[in-house]
C-alpha cells in the first residue's frame, strides 16, 4: 500500500512540475499580452491547466484517502510518511500557483485584448471547464 501511496504523490508532484515548467516557459516568452499570438498562447495555457485539473483532483483524492488509511494503520510512521510525501507536493503546488497568478496578471498593452484576457483569466479561476 505504501508504494502505491508514494507513486501517487510522485506522479502528482511530477504533473505539477510539468505544468509549472509550461507556465514558466509561457511567462518567459510573453512579458505582456500585446499580440494575438500572446493571447492565444495564454488561452492554450489556461485550457491545458483547466482541462487537467478535474482528473488530477480525482487522482489526488485517491492519494489523500490512501494516506489517511496509512495514518490510521500506524499513527507515527503513517504521519511521517504523509508529511514526507506532502511537503514536496505542496512546495511544487505553491510554486505553480505563483506562476499561474503571474500569468493571469500580465500587463495587457492593447485595449483590444484586455476584455478577452480578463474573461479567460476569470474563467480560469471560476469555471470547472474552459469556455473559450
Amino acid at each position: 500500500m505504501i508504494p502505491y501511496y508514494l507513486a501517487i504523490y510522485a506522479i502528482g508532484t511530477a504533473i505539477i512540475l510539468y505544468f509549472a515548467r509550461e507556465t514558466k516557459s509561457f511567462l518567459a516568452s510573453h512579458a505582456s499580452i500585446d499580440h494575438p499570438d500572446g493571447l492565444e498562447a495564454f488561452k492554450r495555457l489556461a485550457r491545458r491547466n483547466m482541462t487537467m485539473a478535474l482528473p488530477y483532483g480525482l487522482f489526488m483524492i485517491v492519494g489523500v484517502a490512501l494516506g489517511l488509511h496509512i495514518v490510521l494503520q500506524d499513527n507515527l510512521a503513517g504521519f511521517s510518511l504523509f508529511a514526507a510525501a506532502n511537503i514536496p507536493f505542496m512546495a511544487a503546488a505553491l510554486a505553480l500557483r505563483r506562476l499561474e497568478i503571474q500569468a493571469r496578471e500580465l500587463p495587457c498593452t492593447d485595449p483590444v485584448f484586455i476584455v478577452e484576457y480578463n474573461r479567460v483569466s476569470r474563467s480560469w479561476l471560476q469555471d470547472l471547464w474552459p469556455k473559450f
Side-chain angles (χ1 to χ4, degrees):
M1 187 172 321
I2 291 174
Y4 295 119
Y5 175 71
L6 292 174
I8 287 172
Y9 270 85
I11 292 167
T13 303
I15 290 170
I16 287 177
L17 292 173
Y18 171 78
F19 281 100
R21 188 189 69 176
E22 292 292 311
T23 306
K24 190 180 275 190
S25 174
F26 167 80
L27 289 169
S29 61
H30 298 89
S32 66
I33 304 297
D34 55 359
H35 195 269
D37 294 340
L39 184 59
E40 285 306 312
F42 177 70
K43 285 181 178 182
R44 278 192 306 276
L45 176 72
R47 213 176 274 121
R48 198 171 33 233
N49 285 18
M50 291 173 74
T51 302
M52 189 59 183
L54 184 60
Y56 180 78
L58 295 173
F59 178 71
M60 290 313 297
I61 286 172
V62 172
V64 169
L66 194 55
L68 291 174
H69 179 71
I70 291 169
V71 168
L72 291 175
Q73 297 299 314
D74 183 354
N75 289 341
L76 183 59
F79 182 75
S80 299
L81 182 65
F82 186 80
N86 274 281
I87 288 171
F89 173 79
M90 290 305 296
L94 290 172
L96 174 59
R97 183 171 184 267
R98 281 190 298 275
L99 291 169
E100 287 179 343
I101 289 170
Q102 288 176 5
R104 287 191 302 267
E105 294 179 348
L106 288 176
C108 200
T109 57
D110 191 337
V112 174
F113 302 128
I114 290 174
V115 172
E116 184 67 8
Y117 176 70
N118 288 337
R119 185 179 74 80
V120 172
S121 294
R122 229 179 357 270
S123 178
W124 191 351
L125 288 173
Q126 297 172 354
D127 297 334
L128 187 58
W129 206 252
K131 298 176 183 173
F132 46 87

